[in-house]
Amino acid sequence: MNTIPQLSQLNKRKFSACAQPDHFTLAIHQEAENALSMALHHLRSGGGNLPSAKLKVAQALGALNRLEMLSLRLGEPAADRA
């Protein structure tokens, strides 16, 4: 059975303070933000274009996954992750 992490556990996670965000990291973050923005646009439009919104949400999740993998590669120990 999967358990939902408590908020106190999430606050105890250690993030790498020495890693400065570079252009690649910022570009991935912007890609995720833009994809979510477009998903909302498709949902709010008159026809409610659900297939396009789903595609944009999948693109945003892919970008967030790449950010997660990048943070793991930068040296954040996997044991500290929730």
Side-chain angles (χ1 to χ4, degrees):
M1 184 166 109
N2 292 338
T3 59
I4 299 173
Q6 299 298 316
L7 187 58
S8 61
Q9 292 174 342
L10 294 176
N11 289 336
K12 292 179 183 177
R13 293 185 352 181
K14 297 177 184 175
F15 294 98
S16 177
C18 64
Q20 294 293 325
D22 57 357
H23 292 291
F24 182 68
T25 305
L26 293 175
I28 295 174
H29 185 271
Q30 188 64 43
E31 180 185 341
E33 187 176 339
N34 286 342
L36 285 175
S37 176
M38 286 305 298
L40 282 174
H41 170 74
H42 288 301
L43 289 174
R44 291 177 180 161
S45 65
N49 193 351
L50 193 59
S52 293
K54 284 188 202 178
L55 176 66
K56 291 300 178 182
V57 168
Q59 288 175 352
L61 288 173
L64 291 174
N65 188 36
R66 288 195 305 274
L67 279 175
E68 182 77 12
M69 294 299 117
L70 185 63
S71 70
L72 287 174
R73 219 175 299 140
L74 289 175
E76 185 178 330
D80 290 344
R81 303 193 65 76

Coordinates of all heavy atoms in Angstrom, one line a residue:
M1 N 0.8 -1.2 0.0 CA 0.0 0.0 0.0 C 0.9 1.2 0.0 O 1.8 1.3 0.8 CB -0.9 0.0 1.2 CG -1.9 1.1 1.3 SD -3.1 0.8 2.5 CE -2.7 2.0 3.7
N2 N 0.6 2.2 -0.9 CA 1.4 3.4 -0.9 C 0.9 4.3 0.2 O -0.3 4.5 0.5 CB 1.2 4.1 -2.3 CG 1.8 3.3 -3.4 OD1 2.7 2.5 -3.1 ND2 1.4 3.5 -4.6
T3 N 1.9 5.0 0.8 CA 1.5 6.0 1.8 C 1.8 7.4 1.3 O 2.7 7.6 0.5 CB 2.3 5.7 3.1 OG1 3.7 5.9 2.8 CG2 2.1 4.4 3.7
I4 N 1.0 8.3 1.7 CA 1.2 9.7 1.3 C 2.2 10.3 2.3 O 2.0 10.3 3.5 CB -0.1 10.5 1.3 CG1 -1.1 9.8 0.3 CG2 0.1 11.9 1.0 CD1 -2.5 10.4 0.4
P5 N 3.3 11.0 1.8 CA 4.3 11.6 2.7 C 3.7 12.8 3.4 O 2.9 13.5 2.8 CB 5.4 12.1 1.7 CG 4.8 12.1 0.4 CD 3.7 11.1 0.4
Q6 N 4.0 12.9 4.7 CA 3.5 14.0 5.5 C 4.2 15.2 5.2 O 5.4 15.2 4.7 CB 3.6 13.6 7.0 CG 2.8 12.4 7.4 CD 1.3 12.6 7.2 OE1 0.8 13.6 7.5 NE2 0.7 11.5 6.6
L7 N 3.6 16.4 5.4 CA 4.3 17.6 5.1 C 5.6 17.8 5.9 O 6.5 18.4 5.4 CB 3.3 18.8 5.5 CG 3.7 20.2 5.1 CD1 4.0 20.2 3.6 CD2 2.7 21.2 5.4
S8 N 5.6 17.3 7.1 CA 6.9 17.4 7.9 C 8.0 16.7 7.2 O 9.2 17.1 7.3 CB 6.7 16.9 9.3 OG 6.3 15.5 9.3
Q9 N 7.7 15.5 6.5 CA 8.7 14.8 5.9 C 9.2 15.6 4.7 O 10.4 15.6 4.4 CB 8.2 13.4 5.4 CG 7.9 12.5 6.5 CD 7.3 11.2 6.0 OE1 6.7 11.2 4.9 NE2 7.3 10.2 6.8
L10 N 8.4 16.2 3.9 CA 8.8 17.0 2.8 C 9.6 18.2 3.2 O 10.5 18.6 2.5 CB 7.5 17.5 2.0 CG 6.7 16.4 1.4 CD1 5.5 17.0 0.7 CD2 7.5 15.7 0.4
N11 N 9.4 18.8 4.4 CA 10.2 19.9 4.8 C 11.6 19.5 5.2 O 12.4 20.4 5.3 CB 9.5 20.6 6.0 CG 8.2 21.4 5.5 OD1 8.1 21.7 4.3 ND2 7.3 21.6 6.4
K12 N 11.8 18.3 5.6 CA 13.1 17.8 6.0 C 14.0 17.5 4.9 O 15.2 17.2 5.1 CB 12.9 16.6 6.9 CG 12.3 16.9 8.2 CD 12.1 15.6 9.0 CE 11.4 15.9 10.3 NZ 11.2 14.7 11.1
R13 N 13.5 17.5 3.6 CA 14.4 17.2 2.5 C 15.5 18.2 2.3 O 15.2 19.4 2.5 CB 13.5 17.1 1.2 CG 12.6 16.0 1.2 CD 11.8 15.8 0.0 NE 12.0 16.8 -1.1 CZ 11.3 16.7 -2.2 NH1 10.5 15.7 -2.5 NH2 11.5 17.7 -3.1
K14 N 16.6 17.7 2.0 CA 17.8 18.6 1.8 C 17.9 18.9 0.3 O 18.0 18.0 -0.5 CB 19.0 18.0 2.4 CG 19.0 17.7 3.9 CD 20.2 17.0 4.3 CE 20.1 16.7 5.8 NZ 21.2 16.0 6.3
F15 N 18.1 20.2 0.0 CA 18.3 20.6 -1.4 C 19.7 21.1 -1.5 O 20.3 21.7 -0.6 CB 17.3 21.6 -1.8 CG 15.9 21.1 -1.8 CD1 15.0 21.3 -0.8 CD2 15.5 20.3 -2.9 CE1 13.7 20.8 -0.8 CE2 14.2 19.9 -2.9 CZ 13.3 20.1 -1.9
S16 N 20.3 20.9 -2.6 CA 21.7 21.3 -2.9 C 21.7 22.8 -3.0 O 21.2 23.3 -4.0 CB 22.2 20.6 -4.2 OG 23.5 21.0 -4.5
A17 N 22.4 23.4 -2.1 CA 22.4 24.9 -2.1 C 23.6 25.4 -3.0 O 23.6 26.5 -3.5 CB 22.6 25.4 -0.7
C18 N 24.5 24.5 -3.3 CA 25.7 25.0 -4.1 C 25.4 25.0 -5.6 O 26.1 25.6 -6.3 CB 26.9 24.1 -3.8 SG 26.7 22.4 -4.3
A19 N 24.4 24.3 -6.0 CA 24.1 24.2 -7.4 C 23.4 25.4 -7.9 O 22.3 25.7 -7.4 CB 23.3 22.9 -7.7
Q20 N 24.0 26.2 -8.8 CA 23.3 27.4 -9.3 C 22.5 27.0 -10.6 O 23.0 26.1 -11.4 CB 24.4 28.4 -9.8 CG 25.2 29.0 -8.6 CD 24.3 29.8 -7.7 OE1 23.4 30.5 -8.2 NE2 24.6 29.8 -6.4
P21 N 21.3 27.5 -10.7 CA 20.6 27.1 -11.9 C 21.2 27.6 -13.2 O 21.5 28.8 -13.2 CB 19.2 27.8 -11.7 CG 19.4 28.8 -10.6 CD 20.6 28.4 -9.8
D22 N 21.4 26.8 -14.1 CA 22.0 27.2 -15.4 C 20.9 27.4 -16.4 O 19.8 27.2 -16.1 CB 23.1 26.2 -15.8 CG 22.5 24.8 -16.0 OD1 21.3 24.6 -15.7 OD2 23.2 23.9 -16.4
H23 N 21.3 27.7 -17.6 CA 20.3 28.0 -18.6 C 19.5 26.8 -19.0 O 18.3 26.8 -19.3 CB 21.0 28.6 -19.9 CG 21.6 29.9 -19.7 ND1 20.8 31.0 -19.5 CD2 22.9 30.4 -19.6 CE1 21.6 32.1 -19.3 NE2 22.8 31.7 -19.3
F24 N 20.2 25.6 -19.0 CA 19.5 24.4 -19.3 C 18.4 24.1 -18.3 O 17.2 23.7 -18.6 CB 20.5 23.2 -19.3 CG 19.9 21.9 -19.7 CD1 19.4 21.7 -21.0 CD2 19.8 20.9 -18.8 CE1 18.9 20.4 -21.3 CE2 19.3 19.6 -19.1 CZ 18.8 19.4 -20.4
T25 N 18.7 24.2 -17.0 CA 17.7 24.0 -15.9 C 16.5 25.0 -16.0 O 15.4 24.6 -15.9 CB 18.4 24.1 -14.6 OG1 19.5 23.2 -14.5 CG2 17.4 23.8 -13.4
L26 N 16.9 26.2 -16.3 CA 15.8 27.3 -16.4 C 15.0 27.0 -17.6 O 13.8 27.2 -17.6 CB 16.5 28.6 -16.5 CG 17.2 29.1 -15.2 CD1 17.9 30.4 -15.4 CD2 16.2 29.2 -14.1
A27 N 15.6 26.5 -18.7 CA 14.8 26.2 -19.9 C 13.8 25.1 -19.7 O 12.7 25.2 -20.2 CB 15.7 25.9 -21.1
I28 N 14.2 24.1 -19.0 CA 13.3 23.0 -18.7 C 12.2 23.4 -17.8 O 11.0 23.1 -18.0 CB 14.1 21.8 -18.0 CG1 15.1 21.2 -19.0 CG2 13.1 20.7 -17.5 CD1 16.0 20.1 -18.3
H29 N 12.5 24.3 -16.8 CA 11.5 24.8 -15.9 C 10.5 25.6 -16.7 O 9.3 25.5 -16.5 CB 12.1 25.6 -14.8 CG 11.2 26.1 -13.8 ND1 10.5 27.3 -13.9 CD2 10.7 25.6 -12.6 CE1 9.7 27.5 -12.9 NE2 9.8 26.4 -12.1
Q30 N 11.0 26.5 -17.6 CA 10.1 27.3 -18.4 C 9.3 26.4 -19.4 O 8.1 26.8 -19.6 CB 11.0 28.3 -19.3 CG 10.1 29.3 -20.0 CD 9.4 30.2 -19.0 OE1 9.9 30.7 -18.1 NE2 8.1 30.4 -19.3
E31 N 9.8 25.4 -19.9 CA 9.1 24.4 -20.7 C 7.9 23.9 -20.0 O 6.7 23.8 -20.5 CB 10.0 23.3 -21.2 CG 9.3 22.3 -22.1 CD 10.2 21.2 -22.5 OE1 11.4 21.3 -22.4 OE2 9.6 20.1 -22.9
A32 N 8.1 23.5 -18.7 CA 7.0 22.9 -17.9 C 6.0 24.0 -17.7 O 4.7 23.7 -17.8 CB 7.6 22.3 -16.6
E33 N 6.4 25.2 -17.3 CA 5.5 26.2 -17.0 C 4.6 26.6 -18.3 O 3.4 26.8 -18.2 CB 6.2 27.5 -16.5 CG 5.4 28.6 -16.0 CD 6.2 29.7 -15.5 OE1 7.3 29.5 -15.1 OE2 5.6 30.8 -15.4
N34 N 5.3 26.7 -19.4 CA 4.6 27.0 -20.6 C 3.6 25.9 -21.0 O 2.4 26.2 -21.5 CB 5.5 27.2 -21.8 CG 6.3 28.6 -21.7 OD1 5.8 29.4 -21.0 ND2 7.4 28.7 -22.4
A35 N 3.9 24.7 -20.9 CA 3.0 23.6 -21.2 C 1.8 23.6 -20.3 O 0.7 23.4 -20.8 CB 3.8 22.2 -21.1
L36 N 2.0 23.8 -19.0 CA 0.8 23.9 -18.1 C 0.0 25.1 -18.5 O -1.3 25.0 -18.4 CB 1.3 24.0 -16.7 CG 1.8 22.7 -16.1 CD1 2.3 22.9 -14.7 CD2 0.7 21.6 -16.1
S37 N 0.6 26.2 -18.8 CA -0.2 27.4 -19.2 C -1.0 27.1 -20.5 O -2.2 27.5 -20.6 CB 0.8 28.5 -19.5 OG 0.0 29.7 -19.9
M38 N -0.4 26.4 -21.4 CA -1.2 26.1 -22.6 C -2.3 25.1 -22.4 O -3.4 25.1 -23.0 CB -0.3 25.5 -23.7 CG 0.6 26.6 -24.4 SD -0.4 28.0 -25.1 CE -1.3 27.1 -26.3
A39 N -2.1 24.1 -21.4 CA -3.1 23.2 -21.0 C -4.3 23.9 -20.5 O -5.4 23.6 -20.8 CB -2.5 22.2 -20.0
L40 N -4.0 24.9 -19.6 CA -5.1 25.7 -19.1 C -5.9 26.5 -20.2 O -7.1 26.6 -20.1 CB -4.6 26.7 -18.0 CG -4.3 26.0 -16.6 CD1 -3.6 27.1 -15.7 CD2 -5.6 25.5 -16.0
H41 N -5.1 27.0 -21.1 CA -5.7 27.7 -22.2 C -6.7 26.8 -23.0 O -7.8 27.2 -23.4 CB -4.6 28.3 -23.1 CG -5.2 28.8 -24.4 ND1 -5.8 30.0 -24.5 CD2 -5.1 28.3 -25.7 CE1 -6.2 30.2 -25.7 NE2 -5.8 29.2 -26.5
H42 N -6.2 25.6 -23.3 CA -7.0 24.6 -24.0 C -8.3 24.3 -23.3 O -9.4 24.1 -23.8 CB -6.3 23.4 -24.4 CG -5.2 23.6 -25.5 ND1 -5.5 24.0 -26.7 CD2 -3.9 23.4 -25.4 CE1 -4.4 24.1 -27.4 NE2 -3.4 23.7 -26.7
L43 N -8.2 24.1 -21.9 CA -9.3 23.8 -21.1 C -10.3 24.9 -21.0 O -11.5 24.7 -20.9 CB -8.9 23.3 -19.7 CG -8.2 22.0 -19.7 CD1 -7.7 21.7 -18.3 CD2 -9.1 20.9 -20.1
R44 N -9.8 26.2 -21.0 CA -10.7 27.3 -20.8 C -11.3 27.8 -22.1 O -12.2 28.6 -22.1 CB -9.9 28.5 -20.2 CG -9.5 28.2 -18.7 CD -8.7 29.3 -18.2 NE -8.3 29.1 -16.8 CZ -7.4 29.7 -16.2 NH1 -6.6 30.5 -16.8 NH2 -7.1 29.4 -14.9
S45 N -10.8 27.3 -23.2 CA -11.3 27.8 -24.5 C -12.7 27.3 -24.7 O -13.2 26.4 -24.0 CB -10.4 27.3 -25.7 OG -10.5 25.9 -25.7
G46 N -13.4 27.9 -25.6 CA -14.9 27.6 -25.8 C -15.2 26.2 -26.0 O -16.1 25.7 -25.4
G47 N -14.4 25.4 -26.8 CA -14.7 24.0 -27.0 C -14.1 23.1 -26.0 O -14.5 21.9 -25.9
G48 N -13.2 23.6 -25.1 CA -12.6 22.7 -24.1 C -11.9 21.6 -24.7 O -12.2 20.4 -24.6
N49 N -10.8 21.9 -25.4 CA -10.0 21.0 -26.2 C -9.3 20.0 -25.3 O -8.1 20.2 -25.0 CB -9.1 21.7 -27.2 CG -8.5 20.8 -28.2 OD1 -8.6 19.6 -28.1 ND2 -7.8 21.4 -29.1
L50 N -9.9 19.0 -24.9 CA -9.4 18.0 -23.9 C -8.2 17.2 -24.4 O -7.2 17.1 -23.7 CB -10.4 17.1 -23.4 CG -10.1 16.3 -22.1 CD1 -9.7 17.2 -21.0 CD2 -11.2 15.4 -21.8
P51 N -8.2 16.7 -25.6 CA -7.0 16.0 -26.1 C -5.7 16.9 -26.1 O -4.6 16.4 -25.8 CB -7.4 15.6 -27.5 CG -8.9 15.5 -27.5 CD -9.3 16.6 -26.6
S52 N -5.8 18.1 -26.6 CA -4.7 19.0 -26.6 C -4.2 19.3 -25.1 O -3.0 19.4 -24.9 CB -5.0 20.3 -27.3 OG -5.2 20.0 -28.7
A53 N -5.2 19.5 -24.2 CA -4.8 19.8 -22.9 C -4.1 18.6 -22.2 O -3.1 18.8 -21.5 CB -6.1 20.1 -22.0
K54 N -4.5 17.4 -22.6 CA -3.8 16.2 -22.0 C -2.4 16.1 -22.6 O -1.5 15.7 -21.8 CB -4.6 14.9 -22.5 CG -5.8 14.6 -21.7 CD -6.3 13.3 -22.1 CE -7.7 13.0 -21.9 NZ -8.2 11.7 -22.3
L55 N -2.2 16.4 -23.9 CA -0.9 16.4 -24.4 C 0.0 17.4 -23.8 O 1.2 17.1 -23.4 CB -1.0 16.7 -25.9 CG 0.3 16.8 -26.7 CD1 1.0 15.5 -26.7 CD2 0.1 17.4 -28.1
K56 N -0.5 18.6 -23.5 CA 0.3 19.6 -22.8 C 0.7 19.2 -21.4 O 1.8 19.5 -20.9 CB -0.4 21.0 -22.9 CG -0.4 21.6 -24.3 CD 0.9 21.8 -24.8 CE 0.9 22.3 -26.2 NZ 2.3 22.4 -26.8
V57 N -0.3 18.6 -20.7 CA 0.0 18.1 -19.3 C 1.1 17.1 -19.4 O 2.0 17.0 -18.5 CB -1.3 17.6 -18.7 CG1 -1.0 16.9 -17.4 CG2 -2.2 18.8 -18.4
A58 N 1.0 16.2 -20.3 CA 2.0 15.1 -20.5 C 3.4 15.7 -20.8 O 4.4 15.3 -20.2 CB 1.7 14.1 -21.6
Q59 N 3.4 16.8 -21.6 CA 4.7 17.5 -21.9 C 5.2 18.1 -20.6 O 6.5 18.1 -20.3 CB 4.5 18.5 -23.0 CG 4.3 17.9 -24.3 CD 4.0 19.0 -25.4 OE1 3.8 20.2 -25.1 NE2 4.0 18.6 -26.6
A60 N 4.4 18.7 -19.8 CA 4.8 19.4 -18.6 C 5.3 18.4 -17.6 O 6.4 18.6 -16.9 CB 3.6 20.1 -17.9
L61 N 4.7 17.2 -17.5 CA 5.1 16.2 -16.6 C 6.5 15.6 -17.0 O 7.4 15.3 -16.2 CB 4.1 15.0 -16.5 CG 2.9 15.4 -15.7 CD1 1.9 14.2 -15.8 CD2 3.2 15.7 -14.2
G62 N 6.7 15.5 -18.3 CA 8.0 15.1 -18.9 C 9.1 16.1 -18.5 O 10.2 15.7 -18.1
A63 N 8.8 17.4 -18.6 CA 9.8 18.4 -18.2 C 10.1 18.3 -16.7 O 11.3 18.4 -16.3 CB 9.3 19.8 -18.6
L64 N 9.1 18.2 -15.9 CA 9.3 18.0 -14.5 C 10.1 16.8 -14.1 O 10.9 16.8 -13.2 CB 8.0 18.1 -13.7 CG 7.2 19.4 -13.8 CD1 5.8 19.2 -13.1 CD2 8.0 20.5 -13.1
N65 N 9.9 15.7 -14.9 CA 10.6 14.5 -14.6 C 12.1 14.7 -15.0 O 13.0 14.3 -14.3 CB 10.1 13.4 -15.5 CG 10.7 12.0 -15.1 OD1 11.0 11.8 -14.0 ND2 10.9 11.2 -16.1
R66 N 12.4 15.5 -16.1 CA 13.7 15.8 -16.4 C 14.4 16.6 -15.4 O 15.6 16.5 -15.0 CB 13.8 16.5 -17.8 CG 13.5 15.5 -18.9 CD 13.9 16.1 -20.3 NE 13.3 17.4 -20.6 CZ 12.2 17.6 -21.1 NH1 11.4 16.5 -21.4 NH2 11.7 18.8 -21.4
L67 N 13.7 17.6 -14.8 CA 14.2 18.4 -13.7 C 14.5 17.5 -12.5 O 15.5 17.7 -11.8 CB 13.2 19.5 -13.3 CG 13.2 20.7 -14.1 CD1 12.1 21.6 -13.6 CD2 14.5 21.4 -14.0
E68 N 13.7 16.5 -12.2 CA 13.9 15.6 -11.1 C 15.2 14.8 -11.3 O 16.0 14.7 -10.4 CB 12.7 14.7 -10.9 CG 12.8 13.7 -9.8 CD 12.5 14.4 -8.4 OE1 12.1 15.5 -8.4 OE2 12.8 13.7 -7.4
M69 N 15.3 14.3 -12.5 CA 16.5 13.5 -12.8 C 17.8 14.4 -12.8 O 18.8 13.9 -12.3 CB 16.4 12.9 -14.2 CG 15.3 11.8 -14.3 SD 15.6 10.4 -13.2 CE 14.2 10.6 -12.2
L70 N 17.7 15.6 -13.2 CA 18.8 16.5 -13.1 C 19.2 16.8 -11.7 O 20.4 16.8 -11.4 CB 18.4 17.8 -13.9 CG 19.6 18.8 -14.0 CD1 20.7 18.3 -14.8 CD2 19.0 20.1 -14.6
S71 N 18.2 17.0 -10.8 CA 18.5 17.2 -9.4 C 19.2 16.0 -8.8 O 20.1 16.2 -7.9 CB 17.3 17.7 -8.6 OG 16.4 16.6 -8.5
L72 N 18.8 14.8 -9.2 CA 19.4 13.6 -8.6 C 20.9 13.5 -9.1 O 21.8 13.1 -8.4 CB 18.7 12.4 -9.1 CG 17.3 12.1 -8.4 CD1 16.6 10.9 -9.0 CD2 17.5 11.9 -6.9
R73 N 21.1 13.9 -10.4 CA 22.4 13.9 -10.9 C 23.4 14.9 -10.3 O 24.6 14.8 -10.3 CB 22.4 14.1 -12.5 CG 23.3 13.2 -13.2 CD 23.2 13.4 -14.7 NE 21.8 13.0 -15.1 CZ 21.1 13.6 -16.1 NH1 21.6 14.6 -16.7 NH2 19.9 13.2 -16.4
L74 N 22.8 16.0 -9.8 CA 23.6 17.0 -9.2 C 24.1 16.7 -7.8 O 24.8 17.5 -7.2 CB 22.8 18.4 -9.1 CG 22.6 19.1 -10.5 CD1 21.7 20.3 -10.3 CD2 23.9 19.4 -11.1
G75 N 23.7 15.5 -7.3 CA 24.3 15.1 -6.1 C 23.4 15.0 -4.9 O 23.8 14.7 -3.8
E76 N 22.1 15.2 -5.1 CA 21.2 15.1 -4.0 C 21.0 13.6 -3.7 O 20.6 12.9 -4.5 CB 19.9 15.8 -4.3 CG 18.9 15.8 -3.2 CD 17.6 16.5 -3.5 OE1 17.6 17.3 -4.4 OE2 16.6 16.1 -3.0
P77 N 21.3 13.2 -2.5 CA 21.2 11.8 -2.2 C 19.8 11.3 -2.3 O 18.8 11.9 -1.9 CB 21.6 11.6 -0.7 CG 22.3 12.9 -0.4 CD 21.8 14.0 -1.3
A78 N 19.6 10.1 -2.9 CA 18.3 9.5 -3.1 C 17.6 9.1 -1.8 O 16.4 9.1 -1.7 CB 18.4 8.3 -4.0
A79 N 18.4 8.8 -0.8 CA 17.8 8.4 0.5 C 17.1 9.6 1.2 O 16.2 9.3 2.0 CB 18.9 7.9 1.4
D80 N 17.4 10.8 0.9 CA 16.8 12.0 1.5 C 15.5 12.4 0.8 O 14.8 13.2 1.3 CB 17.7 13.2 1.5 CG 18.9 13.0 2.5 OD1 18.8 12.1 3.4 OD2 19.8 13.7 2.4
R81 N 15.2 11.7 -0.3 CA 14.0 12.1 -1.1 C 12.8 11.4 -0.5 O 12.8 10.3 -0.1 CB 14.3 11.8 -2.5 CG 15.5 12.4 -3.0 CD 15.6 12.3 -4.5 NE 14.6 13.1 -5.2 CZ 14.5 14.4 -5.3 NH1 15.5 15.1 -4.8 NH2 13.6 15.0 -6.0
A82 N 11.7 12.1 -0.5 CA 10.4 11.6 0.0 C 9.8 10.6 -1.0 O 10.0 10.7 -2.2 CB 9.4 12.7 0.2

